Amino acid sequence: MNVLAEIVAGVREDLQERMGKVPLDELKELAALAPQAKDGVAALRGDCVRVICEVKRSSPAKGALAAIADPAALASQYAAGGAAAISVLTEQRRFKGFLSDLAAVRAAVDTPLLRKDFIVTAYQLWEARAHGADLALLIVASLDQPTLVALIEQAHAIGLTPLVEVHDQQEAARAVDAGARVIGVNARDLKTLHVDRDTFTRVVPAIPDHIVKVAASAVRGPRDLIAYADHGADAVLVGEALVTGPHPQAVVADLVAAGIRH
């Protein structure tokens, strides 16, 4: 079993437990009380390169990264630095994240929020909305095509912007065919955890101009942002470089400034 398949298997187990505690109808009622979802496409496309900052405690590739006892405080630093959106990991087993992190961040900032998890059912989309997310990650490699199409349509129907993650041109074509408006190209292969910094360059020709293009993984600083921008990125997603450093707000501000200059 590859790493992605192992993670998804665990996600499905945890999902069954949550579904047993919170019925779908109750989730929908909570979603109706959440703030109106912000436009994820508008947040990530503009006349400069947008920066998505990540609240991430751990990863399968690197293990523990940062304790992050107060995700809301970290997110507030990201917002003060100029983040266009904030990604919150909610997967428990490998990333040590929780839906309560998403809710805490939503209460602290007005910045658009991405629920980053391994979403395989519509129930998780309703969870995302109920906890204040504006965008939700859908990973092409973990979904068959009918499910991908259905989840994109469901996300749009309830106000979420799907950020559809791909790793190669074939997956990008699937994302386009499924109706994705935002596509993230991950330099890390989630099946092997190998990072290839040239992945974005190879994949981006398969993504039409009208779709927002996000470069994910391997962004260590302004030079990486500019390199991705030179190949057509509208936004970059940054995690490890922020949570492992002592001054996240300053790092975000430097990235945002590089995006403006570009």
Side-chain angles (χ1 to χ4, degrees):
M1 187 180 287
N2 63 48
V3 176
L4 177 60
E6 290 176 358
I7 294 172
V8 170
V11 164
R12 289 186 181 277
E13 289 181 12
D14 295 338
L15 176 60
Q16 288 302 313
E17 182 178 340
R18 296 198 305 278
M19 291 175 71
K21 293 178 179 178
V22 182
L24 179 58
D25 287 346
E26 184 177 333
L27 262 188
K28 290 182 178 181
E29 291 175 3
L30 292 170
L33 298 174
Q36 182 175 355
K38 298 171 179 60
D39 186 337
V41 172
L44 299 179
R45 167 167 273 164
D47 54 3
C48 61
V49 182
R50 305 302 172 95
V51 180
I52 307 169
C53 302
E54 196 150 79
V55 177
K56 178 165 68 171
R57 295 187 179 92
S58 183
S59 77
K62 298 290 183 69
L65 297 171
I68 312 182
D70 190 346
L74 178 60
S76 295
Q77 292 189 61
Y78 291 163
I86 296 172
S87 168
V88 182
L89 263 299
T90 59
E91 194 279 330
Q92 301 176 34
R93 300 190 183 202
R94 298 295 189 98
F95 293 88
K96 310 303 180 189
F98 302 93
L99 278 163
S100 58
D101 294 338
L102 183 60
V105 171
R106 174 76 293 155
V109 303
D110 195 44
T111 309
L113 300 186
L114 165 68
R115 181 191 182 183
K116 194 171 185 188
D117 207 320
F118 297 79
I119 292 175
V120 291
T121 71
Y123 182 92
Q124 291 161 288
L125 296 175
W126 284 106
E127 283 182 322
R129 262 292 46 229
H131 289 80
D134 307 288
L135 303 98
L137 183 72
L138 297 176
I139 301 173
V140 170
S142 66
L143 302 166
D144 61 36
Q145 194 66 7
T147 303
L148 176 64
V149 171
L151 289 176
I152 288 176
E153 291 178 351
Q154 180 68 60
H156 288 153
I158 65 175
L160 288 167
T161 301
L163 194 165
V164 184
E165 181 178 305
V166 305
H167 184 70
D168 57 33
Q169 287 204 352
Q170 183 179 12
E171 290 181 0
R174 286 183 56 199
V176 173
D177 289 346
R181 301 171 188 169
V182 180
I183 293 179
V185 180
N186 196 344
R188 187 180 301 280
D189 184 339
L190 292 177
K191 296 176 182 178
T192 65
L193 302 183
H194 175 70
V195 174
D196 181 349
R197 295 180 184 278
D198 295 324
T199 301
F200 186 86
T201 306
R202 288 197 304 273
V203 175
V204 75
I207 305 174
D209 288 342
H210 71 275
I211 294 175
V212 176
K213 304 165 189 66
V214 180
S217 294
V219 179
R220 298 159 297 186
R223 292 176 110 186
D224 293 323
L225 178 148
I226 291 168
Y228 277 136
D230 285 342
H231 287 97
D234 298 296
V236 298
L237 188 148
V238 191
E240 183 181 339
L242 294 173
V243 300
T244 58
H247 305 295
Q249 181 177 331
V251 175
V252 175
D254 287 345
L255 289 165
V256 171
I260 293 171
R261 289 196 304 272
H262 185 273

